Amino acid sequence: MSRSRLTPEREAELYDAVLDLLREVGYDSLTMDAIAARTRSSKATLYRQWHSKPELVARALQQTKPPGLDEIDTGSLRGDFEEILARSDDCQLERDAALMRGLLQAVHDNPDLHATLRKQLIEPEKCELDAIVRRAVERGEIRAGNPAVEFVAHMLLGAFFARQIIDDQLPDKAYTLRYIDAVVLPALGV
């Protein structure tokens, strides 16, 4: 990305507009023209800053993540999961769910979007989660070689989508913690 001449406040405003438009019209109907109009900026500025729609969307999504997940170390895996949940609220989870629903089909239909999201969002977040689980192994909470370790991210993401599909409800913090206690921690032998 080229060096930003935008203030952090202006960048945050642009990202919020991108996410609002994404929720309103979905990825396929989201255009740089619409973003430029909504944010009162030029398409040239948008392309100069982010180069492509997938990159702009990925950067906007990064801003919804609570910072510093890789620094979480409460001394227990359950405590680490509780701290992750404490860093967002149920309203944020609801907004994230709306974005994920909107992006799910788009990821399958747009290889550039998929690759950009994997590189900028999914892989870094999975690395942070892997570090939390690795520390639990090092503390002896999880047996080394436990085959469920490689599926922690899958289990958590699965809960996120399954709750919406099966129960027609959003996965709030209380549900997610119950799921962690009933499924994730037992699978890991904690």
Side-chain angles (χ1 to χ4, degrees):
M1 186 166 86
S2 62
R3 188 166 183 91
S4 176
R5 289 183 281 170
L6 301 175
T7 65
E9 295 80 17
R10 179 66 172 143
E11 250 185 83
E13 180 184 317
L14 283 162
Y15 292 146
D16 286 344
V18 168
L19 297 177
D20 287 344
L21 279 166
L22 192 56
R23 286 183 196 99
E24 291 168 22
V25 302
Y27 182 81
D28 289 334
S29 296
L30 178 70
T31 65
M32 294 300 251
D33 286 322
I35 296 166
R38 175 77 58 102
T39 61
R40 295 177 309 281
S41 56
S42 72
K43 272 187 7 180
T45 297
L46 297 176
Y47 280 111
R48 187 170 44 254
Q49 290 293 123
W50 294 284
H51 307 294
S52 69
K53 181 172 91 169
E55 185 176 335
L56 176 53
V57 167
R59 296 278 183 210
L61 288 167
Q62 281 178 318
Q63 303 312 303
T64 67
K65 280 185 41 181
L69 295 183
D70 57 338
E71 299 168 0
I72 293 175
D73 189 357
T74 66
S76 76
L77 184 59
R78 187 178 194 283
D80 293 348
F81 284 142
E82 284 179 325
E83 180 62 24
I84 291 170
L85 289 172
R87 293 185 180 204
S88 60
D89 58 33
D90 285 338
C91 290
Q92 183 63 46
L93 288 173
E94 186 174 332
R95 288 188 300 268
D96 288 349
L99 286 171
M100 295 307 288
R101 283 191 307 271
L103 285 172
L104 193 57
Q105 185 62 44
V107 164
H108 290 288
D109 295 339
N110 298 281
D112 290 342
L113 175 64
H114 188 205
T116 302
L117 289 178
R118 282 193 56 77
K119 180 182 176 190
Q120 293 183 13
L121 205 64
I122 297 166
E123 289 174 7
E125 196 161 313
K126 187 173 180 317
C127 286
E128 291 172 349
L129 185 58
D130 289 347
I132 289 170
V133 173
R134 188 172 42 258
R135 283 193 295 273
V137 171
E138 291 166 359
R139 285 191 300 264
E141 285 183 88
I142 300 172
R143 176 184 54 79
N146 181 318
V149 165
E150 74 176 288
F151 299 110
V152 172
H154 301 85
M155 286 187 278
L156 294 173
L157 190 59
F160 190 80
F161 287 114
R163 173 77 175 197
Q164 294 174 69
I165 293 168
I166 295 171
D167 299 329
D168 196 25
Q169 295 181 28
L170 295 174
D172 59 18
K173 289 179 6 178
Y175 167 82
T176 305
L177 193 55
R178 282 194 333 268
Y179 178 84
I180 287 168
D181 285 337
V183 177
V184 179
L185 295 177
L188 295 170
V190 176

